[in-house]
């Protein structure tokens, strides 16, 4: 038995060496043949995996949303129920702020005057903080302070600091959509886009209007103009559209709609886990 095993082992070794001789290039070397053998699969793999194009589809932009101006206790009472339902349904909102532009550094400090909150049902709530009651501000304070509600934002650090100092509103669990997009999508696809305006253009194909300080500089007017309302609403809904587009590209969807996402995605789990794994 031992002799038989030894013979089988010797045969296997000899056959292995012979096979190596057949597979390997000649000793005098055609090194290029070996190189070709290793390079061809790589070239083939490149052909099989073409660069994926970004899916660009806006959901709520430019005008597929409804804005509610909350500038009195009566207005607050009329929207609080639907606002609460939107927040509770998804556990995700978008947040932005506006305040009047100071002509110079010597002018008095202007606190935040408008708080915009967007929902995944395509509704925008424009809270004019100086026009509503302290109890109503406290209601908003509880929403923005709830760690179980995700707040989607864009370059929000200064806004968060000012909300805390101006109104005692401490925002917990906020996420910057620009950071999310760059974490989930190949940066080569995003190019050198910086800021919400350029990122919205890249991911949705919609171009946001630039801020006009002369027309939109005063957010403390007794009645906001259509320009104020449109600018504030589109900004906060752009945050949601960037988030939805990022999701669609992350999940490699061929199409995306608010209804499809509302039916099939557990939003809080997705935002907390899928984007950061």
């Amino acid at each position: 038995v031992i002799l038989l095993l030894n013979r089988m082992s010797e045969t296997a070794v000899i056959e292995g060496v012979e096979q190596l001789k057949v597979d390997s290039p000649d000793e005098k070397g055609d090194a290029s043949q070996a190189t070709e053998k290793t390079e061809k699969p790589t070239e083939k793999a490149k052909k099989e995996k073409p660069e994926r194009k970004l899916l660009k589809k806006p959901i709520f932009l430019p005008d597929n949303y409804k804005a509610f101006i909350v500038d009195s206790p009566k207005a607050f009472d009329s929207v609080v129920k639907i606002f609460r339902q939107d927040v509770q349904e998804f556990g995700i909102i978008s947040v932005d702020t506006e305040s009047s532009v100071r002509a110079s550094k010597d002018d008095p400090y202007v606190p935040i005057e408008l708080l915009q909150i967007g929902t995944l049902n395509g509704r925008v709530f424009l809270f004019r903080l100086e026009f509503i009651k302290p109890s109503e501000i406290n209601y908003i304070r509880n929403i923005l302070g709830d760690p179980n509600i995700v707040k989607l934002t864009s370059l929000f650090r200064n806004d968060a600091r000012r909300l805390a100092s101006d109104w005692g509103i401490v925002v917990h669990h906020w996420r910057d959509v620009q950071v999310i997009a760059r974490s989930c999508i190949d940066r080569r696809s995003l190019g050198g886009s910086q800021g919400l305006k350029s990122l919205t253009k890249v991911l949705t194909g919609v171009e946001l209007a630039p801020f006009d300080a002369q027309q939109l500089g005063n957010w403390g007017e007794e009645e906001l103009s259509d320009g104020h309302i449109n600018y504030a609403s589109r900004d906060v809904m752009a945050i949601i559209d960037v988030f939805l587009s990022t999701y669609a590209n992350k999940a490699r969807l061929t199409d995306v709609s608010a209804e499809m996402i509302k039916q099939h995605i557990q939003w809080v789990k997705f935002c907390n886990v899928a984007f950061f794994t």
Side-chain angles (χ1 to χ4, degrees):
V1 172
I2 292 172
L3 288 172
L4 179 61
L5 289 173
N6 286 338
R7 287 175 183 176
M8 291 173 63
S9 177
E10 290 172 1
T11 303
V13 170
I14 292 170
E15 288 177 351
V17 171
E18 292 298 325
Q19 185 63 37
L20 284 174
K21 287 181 179 179
V22 171
D23 291 343
S24 60
D26 188 56
E27 283 184 3
K28 294 182 181 178
D30 190 358
S32 62
Q33 290 180 4
T35 305
E36 285 177 5
K37 287 182 181 181
T38 58
E39 286 180 353
K40 282 181 180 179
T42 305
E43 292 174 358
K44 185 178 180 181
K46 287 181 180 178
K47 292 179 181 178
E48 292 177 351
K49 296 181 180 180
E51 187 176 348
R52 182 179 174 82
K53 292 184 179 180
L54 281 177
L55 173 65
K56 299 181 181 183
K57 182 181 178 182
I59 304 299
F60 299 117
L61 293 177
D63 301 307
N64 189 27
Y65 57 83
K66 186 173 182 179
F68 299 86
I69 304 169
V70 186
D71 56 0
S72 68
K74 182 179 180 180
F76 186 91
D77 291 340
S78 68
V79 303
V80 66
K81 183 178 180 180
I82 192 170
F83 174 67
R84 180 172 61 247
Q85 288 174 346
D86 277 11
V87 174
Q88 291 175 346
E89 184 177 0
F90 299 108
I92 290 184
I93 56 178
S94 60
V95 183
D96 196 13
T97 70
E98 304 292 347
S99 57
S100 297
V101 177
R102 292 189 293 172
S104 69
K105 294 181 179 179
D106 298 329
D107 288 350
Y109 173 77
V110 180
I112 286 175
E113 294 163 297
L114 185 72
L115 173 67
Q116 307 108 279
I117 296 180
T119 74
L120 296 178
N121 276 330
R123 285 188 270 264
V124 182
F125 299 88
L126 305 177
F127 295 99
R128 304 193 71 187
L129 299 177
E130 293 181 332
F131 291 79
I132 59 179
K133 297 188 297 186
S135 60
E136 293 161 351
I137 292 177
N138 190 56
Y139 181 87
I140 298 170
R141 184 181 293 119
N142 291 335
I143 295 290
L144 296 184
D146 189 341
N148 296 313
I149 300 171
V150 178
K151 296 88 185 176
L152 300 173
T153 64
S154 177
L155 301 178
F156 192 69
R157 190 175 301 279
N158 188 51
D159 299 62
R161 180 184 59 78
R162 294 185 64 201
L163 277 172
S165 62
D166 294 348
W167 298 100
I169 298 175
V170 179
V171 184
H172 289 286
H173 201 182
W174 56 271
R175 297 287 182 264
D176 192 315
V177 288
Q178 295 191 52
V179 175
I180 293 173
R182 286 178 174 79
S183 300
C184 298
I185 299 176
D186 191 334
R187 296 193 178 192
R188 292 173 298 179
S189 299
L190 296 178
S193 57
Q194 299 290 332
L196 181 63
K197 187 176 185 294
S198 58
L199 197 61
T200 300
K201 177 69 174 177
V202 169
L203 289 176
T204 71
V206 175
E207 188 160 355
L208 296 175
F211 179 76
D212 186 336
Q214 187 173 356
Q215 295 185 8
L216 305 175
N218 185 7
W219 293 90
E221 293 180 357
E222 186 175 348
E223 186 174 344
L224 293 178
S225 67
D226 289 343
H228 284 103
I229 296 168
N230 291 336
Y231 178 85
S233 299
R234 286 172 184 163
D235 254 20
V236 79
M237 293 313 290
I239 293 172
I240 287 183
D241 265 18
V242 166
F243 177 77
L244 295 178
S245 181
T246 300
Y247 164 72
N249 284 284
K250 169 78 171 179
R252 294 181 176 274
L253 301 180
T254 56
D255 195 11
V256 61
S257 70
E259 287 303 316
M260 178 273 293
I261 290 171
K262 285 191 289 185
Q263 292 172 10
H264 298 288
I265 302 300
Q266 296 177 357
W267 280 101
V268 174
K269 181 179 179 182
F270 172 72
C271 189
N272 288 337
V273 179
F275 270 153
F276 301 103
T277 56

